[in-house]
């Protein structure tokens, strides 16, 4: 078995925090918090372009399963920016809790889960209406979320949780 190794390093914007790959793997999207932008890495040519700027504080990015929309969690505005992926045009903004840091789309593409580190909550966004349909209290300082392949469970990483013995 081959040993994993770095084959190429590409420069993106300043302070990259979040990364998502398109459903078919053609592009990767990088939330550059320090430069207020989202970079697009073309998987075929391995080139980098700035798709979206300026953004106040992009921290994390997610891609819809149908590849039609990008969702950018912005810690400066406590909101999720909805972007039409083909044109890289902002088509909506959804206010969420404080310091949104983790963001995942369910397999159906109908719900978006946002871990709000500063509010100890997860916002559930209806992606058809771009509105919050529920806010769920979770543990201390949620920083990440993962959705099961069935879409029936959501797992949340809580940075401030006390480890059990």
């Amino acid at each position: 078995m081959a040993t994993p190794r770095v084959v190429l390093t590409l420069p993106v914007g300043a302070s990259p925090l979040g990364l998502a790959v398109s459903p078919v793997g053609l592009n990767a999207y990088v939330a550059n918090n320090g430069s207020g932008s989202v970079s697009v890495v073309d998987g075929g040519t391995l080139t980098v372009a700035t798709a979206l700027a300026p953004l106040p504080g992009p921290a994390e990015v997610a891609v819809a399963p149908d590849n039609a929309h990008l969702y950018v969690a912005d810690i400066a505005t406590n909101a999720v920016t909805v972007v039409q992926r083909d044109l890289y045009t902002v088509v909506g903004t959804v206010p969420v809790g404080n310091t949104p840091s983790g963001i995942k789309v369910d397999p159906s593409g109908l719900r978006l889960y946002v871990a709000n580190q500063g509010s100890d909550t997860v916002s559930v966004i209806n992606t058809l209406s771009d509105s919050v349909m529920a806010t769920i209290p979770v543990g201390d300082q949620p920083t990440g979320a993962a959705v099961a392949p069935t879409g029936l469970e959501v797992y949340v990483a809580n940075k401030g949780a006390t480890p059990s013995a």
Side-chain angles (χ1 to χ4, degrees):
M1 180 191 299
T3 303
R5 62 187 173 88
V6 174
V7 294
L8 180 66
T9 301
L10 296 170
V12 292
S15 300
L17 294 181
L19 173 70
V21 177
S22 66
V24 292
L26 297 178
N27 293 316
Y29 302 93
V30 183
N32 304 304
N33 187 261
S35 56
S37 65
V38 173
S39 295
V40 179
V41 178
D42 182 308
T45 63
L46 299 177
T47 57
V48 179
T50 300
L52 199 58
L55 295 169
E60 186 63 72
V61 62
V63 185
D66 66 1
N67 209 27
H69 291 95
L70 296 176
Y71 301 97
V72 182
D74 195 300
I75 59 176
T77 61
N78 296 323
V80 171
T81 302
V82 182
V83 179
Q84 184 178 348
R85 197 208 46 85
D86 288 355
L87 303 173
Y88 298 112
T89 303
V90 174
V91 294
T93 302
V94 183
V96 293
N98 293 331
T99 322
S101 53
I103 183 169
K104 293 293 182 267
V105 183
D106 79 344
S108 72
L110 298 176
R111 289 184 179 83
L112 178 69
Y113 297 91
V114 183
N116 303 305
Q117 186 177 3
S119 298
D120 299 338
T121 61
V122 169
S123 297
V124 183
I125 295 174
N126 177 325
T127 59
L128 296 177
S129 64
D130 290 337
S131 62
V132 174
M133 56 190 291
T135 301
I136 304 167
V138 295
D140 293 335
Q141 301 176 6
T143 57
V147 181
T150 61
L152 297 176
E153 290 106 12
V154 176
Y155 301 91
V156 179
N158 295 308
K159 177 180 167 184
T162 304
S164 58

